[in-house]
Amino acid sequence: MMVDEFHEISFAKALKGILVGLTFGIVSPQRVGEFAGRLMVLPVEKNWLSIRASLYGSIAMNIIVVTSGVIGYLFIQQDITEIIPMRLLYLAIIPSLIFIVLIYLLFPKIEQIFSLSKLTSRIETWGNFEDYQFTKRTLFKVLVISFLRYSVFVFQYLLVIKFIGIDVGSIKVLCLVSIIYLIQAVIPLPGILNLVARGEIAMAIFSLYSVNEISILMATFTLWIINLLVPSLFGLGLLWRIPILKSLGIDK
């Protein structure tokens, strides 16, 4: 949707970019490799458009993750404070949320203050970074889509947990999962190592309700396979057909 404002792109090609991005992201810290993967499906002169769209999408998703995590924390704060102290919420998490919201809304002004155009213009073949200014309406749509995407992840977790037979109320599960995603969002590890960290975080959070650790690990690994591993394998298959150096403007 964001790319299509400035460069016509089909849903199939956009999906291809997402799958290839997941392939790069699964082996990079905080999945930043997804940015590189998405470049592969656009002309080289539109690379900054791809990066700018991905940047906004990433910030929007983080806004939803942190906001939902804070709400989940407040719902069960009496149970969770022994793991996450209330002062951490007020001194670090909420200020971080305000910070990323300001970046999301004021990025063009931040861009001017720090003269990002001077830095980005060094890669001449990629076009102009500042040419792609998204409207407030578009940014709002991106937040809505990010919320829907996040909701899918959370309800997937809930369904898998119920299927496995973990006896915790649905509302508590939703709150716990939102906190797991919040903690996970601030751990800068590659996707594969993040899997281990995700399992440890989930066990620590669900241990408050004496949940079997093996069951939690099963739920965590199942979702990782569905949402990351399988799409990444599809992306790997598509990657072989893409001229990587040409898409980066290195080889004509």
Side-chain angles (χ1 to χ4, degrees), residues 101-248:
V101 169
L102 289 175
I103 291 177
Y104 189 72
L105 296 176
L106 303 176
F107 187 75
K109 292 184 179 180
I110 296 171
E111 187 179 8
Q112 293 176 358
I113 293 171
F114 290 97
S115 301
L116 292 183
S117 59
K118 292 182 180 179
L119 179 63
T120 57
S121 63
R122 294 180 182 179
I123 310 178
E124 296 178 359
T125 56
W126 285 21
N128 296 317
F129 185 71
E130 66 275 11
D131 284 351
Y132 309 111
Q133 303 292 338
F134 300 109
T135 65
K136 291 290 189 292
R137 180 181 176 85
T138 296
L139 297 182
F140 176 74
K141 287 181 179 179
V142 173
L143 281 173
V144 172
I145 293 171
S146 296
F147 175 75
L148 295 174
R149 177 189 177 203
Y150 177 82
S151 299
V152 169
F153 292 151
V154 171
F155 280 100
Q156 276 182 323
Y157 217 129
L158 174 64
L159 291 173
V160 171
I161 282 175
K162 293 300 181 182
F163 178 78
I164 291 174
I166 296 174
D167 188 22
V168 178
S170 296
I171 299 300
K172 280 189 176 180
V173 169
L174 294 177
C175 292
L176 293 171
V177 170
S178 70
I179 294 170
I180 290 170
Y181 283 139
L182 169 61
I183 298 172
Q184 182 187 318
V186 298
I187 299 178
L189 292 173
I192 295 174
L193 292 179
N194 194 274
L195 170 63
V196 179
R198 186 183 303 189
E200 292 289 338
I201 293 166
M203 286 192 296
I205 297 297
F206 275 95
S207 67
L208 295 169
Y209 300 96
S210 302
V211 175
N212 182 275
E213 292 184 349
I214 300 299
S215 297
I216 291 300
L217 287 176
M218 284 178 58
T220 302
F221 294 163
T222 298
L223 290 174
W224 184 82
I225 291 170
I226 293 171
N227 292 327
L228 278 176
L229 182 60
V230 172
S232 295
L233 292 175
F234 277 108
L236 185 62
L238 294 169
L239 185 59
W240 294 112
R241 303 178 181 180
I242 297 176
I244 297 176
L245 294 181
K246 184 176 180 180
S247 65
L248 295 175

Side-chain angles (χ1 to χ4, degrees), residues 79-105:
D79 298 335
I80 203 74
T81 48
E82 63 182 82
I83 295 179
I84 306 175
M86 180 67 77
R87 62 179 177 275
L88 181 63
L89 184 75
Y90 291 121
L91 296 178
I93 298 175
I94 292 180
S96 297
L97 174 60
I98 294 171
F99 179 68
I100 58 177
V101 169
L102 289 175
I103 291 177
Y104 189 72
L105 296 176

Side-chain angles (χ1 to χ4, degrees), residues 2-22:
M2 300 183 80
V3 168
D4 203 48
E5 284 193 14
F6 301 95
H7 175 77
E8 187 175 351
I9 184 172
S10 65
F11 179 82
K13 183 172 284 189
L15 179 59
K16 181 179 179 181
I18 295 299
L19 293 174
V20 172
L22 284 172

